[in-house]
Amino acid sequence: MPHDVTMPQLGMAQDAGKIVSWLKAPGDPVSKGDALFEVETDKAVMEVEAPADGFLTGVSYGEGDDVPVGNVIARISDSAEDDPAPAPSQAAPAPPVAADDTIPEGHPVTMPQLGMAQDTGLLVNWLKAPGDRVSADDILFEVETDKSTMEVEAGRDGWLAATLAEAGEEVPVGDPVAIISGDKPDAPVARSVKDTQSKRAETSAPPPSVPEATAGQPTETVAPAAASPNPGGRILASPKARRLAIEQGLDLARLAEAGHPQPFHVADLEVLRNMPRATAAPVATPSEAPRRLTAVCSTDGLSAFAVWAGETRALNPDAVLAGFAGTSFGRAEAVCVSIERFGNRQTYHVPVGRSLSAVSETDDDPALIVRDLRGTSLASLNMGAEATPVLSITDDGAGLAITLECAAAQLDASAAIHLVTEFAGRMEQPLRHLL
């Protein structure tokens, strides 16, 4: 069965796209997801993928051609024999806005096709409300497909007269999502997809006959089922909230399980950070609870000291950091310290004393991990205890924040306080290590 390849709408107020180059030739075998050609609009250049396995046939436009959105450009067929694409007039028109008096007149904004083999888009969030004045470049809503999340603009100046879908609903590609009117609407409309489809069905089908109720017998009224806020179990969140959650190791599913309203935004991450950590284990007693201590250094003295130590003593910066951490333990025997940065880890043997030149690499198991997170966007940590105590270093303005996380059995309260205090002091004033 042949599959049509159409000119996608990239989410803007776009009527046509320009074919920049073909990446496959007529008759070439293709697999689903292979890039077929590059298309350019006023704001983006992207690749359009094959919607199915087969052979590229029926190529009806060449490089440099401007093609109206929705026109069939080529076909994916079962054989390499040429299979002409249908004429533009044969393409099915987009479903119309329901013709009833409650929808204001205006220009429809449709669910865009993002260039993939995509039938629907998930409306993540409305950024404008019905009745708001909008400009052509204003963002109306966010839409998510299986591969991307993007913002959709109004495309013209006017008023948001109607919204025809709710956050969390799947909308077919090409279906109207909003109406932009030239005049301020007297009664802005907000509908769900189900409401819109019901109105469309009412205009195309005769009204059903309703049997007369028997005298004295009440009619039964069935309440409509509430729409699910996250179809398919998806977590609805803005792209920025998703990115920050990943960077900070936060699980948005915990917000959903707690019944926090979706879609989630950046402000909701603070709620997530303050939520108690879920655990199936019995509640720990105070002596068993994990320890988490944070110290703040007003300045970052390590960076300049590491450069000086490298230039004058040929010392490895990570060996210097391991030496600071190992000596901060205050133990009477040598310790092993691992330095972890961007997923890479190296362990160092730190002998008793303050000689940084005696610190050497080793493969032994560490007694402490130092996680250097300087230069990342992380501002705070609450990862919980691990198999080994962890000291994390994050930026704090012009200074640093030092966070220790460990189990109570690994370090008692006095030892934990001593370790954090000594290490933070060395990070702020490295020369104290040599005194």
Side-chain angles (χ1 to χ4, degrees):
M1 177 181 176
H3 295 265
D4 292 339
V5 180
T6 60
M7 174 58 69
Q9 184 183 20
L10 304 185
M12 316 305 174
Q14 169 210 350
D15 298 321
K18 180 179 180 180
I19 297 178
V20 178
S21 63
W22 279 98
L23 306 177
K24 298 286 185 180
D28 282 356
V30 298
S31 299
K32 182 177 180 179
D34 284 353
L36 296 180
F37 61 92
E38 293 179 320
V39 59
E40 177 184 2
T41 68
D42 57 343
K43 292 191 176 182
V45 175
M46 68 177 295
E47 296 177 343
V48 176
E49 300 175 356
D53 298 338
F55 296 85
L56 179 62
T57 62
V59 176
S60 51
Y61 293 92
E63 295 178 356
D65 287 346
D66 287 313
V67 184
V69 167
N71 272 24
V72 179
I73 296 173
R75 280 190 163 183
I76 305 299
S77 303
D78 296 332
S79 70
E81 296 180 3
D82 194 45
D83 185 9
S89 59
Q90 292 177 272
V97 179
D100 65 84
D101 295 336
T102 62
I103 296 291
E105 294 184 356
H107 176 78
V109 179
T110 60
M111 174 58 68
Q113 183 182 20
L114 304 184
M116 316 303 175
Q118 168 211 349
D119 299 320
T120 63
L122 175 67
L123 201 156
V124 176
N125 184 37
W126 280 104
L127 302 178
K128 296 289 183 180
D132 285 355
R133 185 171 190 123
V134 296
S135 300
D137 294 334
D138 285 351
I139 306 301
L140 284 186
F141 60 91
E142 295 171 328
V143 59
E144 176 184 289
T145 68
D146 57 343
K147 292 190 177 181
S148 64
T149 300
M150 69 174 294
E151 298 170 332
V152 179
E153 299 176 356
R156 62 184 59 214
D157 297 340
W159 303 84
L160 181 55
T163 57
L164 306 178
E166 296 177 348
E169 290 189 315
E170 296 272 0
V171 183
V173 167
D175 268 21
V177 180
I179 300 293
I180 306 294
S181 63
D183 299 321
K184 184 175 182 179
D186 295 329
V189 173
R191 282 185 179 171
S192 68
V193 170
K194 291 182 178 180
D195 292 338
T196 303
Q197 292 174 343
S198 297
K199 289 291 184 180
R200 188 182 301 149
E202 289 174 6
T203 61
S204 58
S209 58
V210 180
E212 295 182 2
T214 306
Q217 181 178 356
T219 58
E220 182 180 0
T221 302
V222 180
S228 171
N230 54 338
R234 298 193 198 186
I235 303 298
L236 306 182
S238 71
K240 185 174 182 181
R242 286 185 187 277
R243 176 174 58 80
L244 290 176
I246 293 172
E247 290 178 354
Q248 299 174 22
L250 301 173
D251 186 2
L252 293 174
R254 297 184 62 206
L255 281 177
E257 291 169 359
H260 199 72
Q262 300 185 41
F264 304 135
H265 299 278
V266 173
D268 298 315
L269 298 184
E270 187 61 30
V271 177
L272 181 53
R273 292 188 197 98
N274 294 328
M275 288 177 64
R277 186 177 294 274
T279 177
V283 177
T285 63
S287 61
E288 298 171 340
R291 306 194 192 282
R292 182 176 183 275
L293 292 80
T294 299
V296 176
C297 306
S298 59
T299 59
D300 174 9
L302 175 67
S303 298
F305 180 83
V307 172
W308 172 82
E311 293 176 347
T312 63
R313 299 290 189 271
L315 294 178
N316 182 335
D318 284 351
V320 172
L321 192 56
F324 283 3
T327 307
S328 298
F329 255 127
R331 295 182 177 179
E333 70 275 358
V335 295
C336 294
V337 178
S338 288
I339 305 301
E340 184 179 298
R341 185 183 295 106
F342 300 115
N344 298 316
R345 179 183 291 188
Q346 177 60 55
T347 303
Y348 294 87
H349 177 269
V350 182
V352 177
R354 298 177 181 242
S355 174
L356 294 175
S357 59
V359 177
S360 59
E361 294 185 4
T362 182
D363 294 327
D364 293 342
D365 293 334
L368 176 68
I369 297 172
V370 177
R371 197 164 283 156
D372 189 356
L373 300 174
R374 291 175 296 169
T376 71
S377 59
L378 294 174
S380 63
L381 294 167
N382 194 354
M383 305 295 288
E386 300 183 23
T388 303
V390 178
L391 275 173
S392 298
I393 311 170
T394 55
D395 293 317
D396 187 73
L400 301 171
I402 311 298
T403 302
L404 170 66
E405 293 181 288
C406 66
Q410 294 168 342
L411 294 172
D412 60 31
S414 177
I417 293 172
H418 182 273
L419 173 58
V420 173
T421 303
E422 287 293 315
F423 185 67
R426 285 172 167 80
M427 296 296 287
E428 189 170 22
Q429 298 177 358
L431 290 178
R432 68 181 287 177
H433 180 86
L434 304 179
L435 300 177

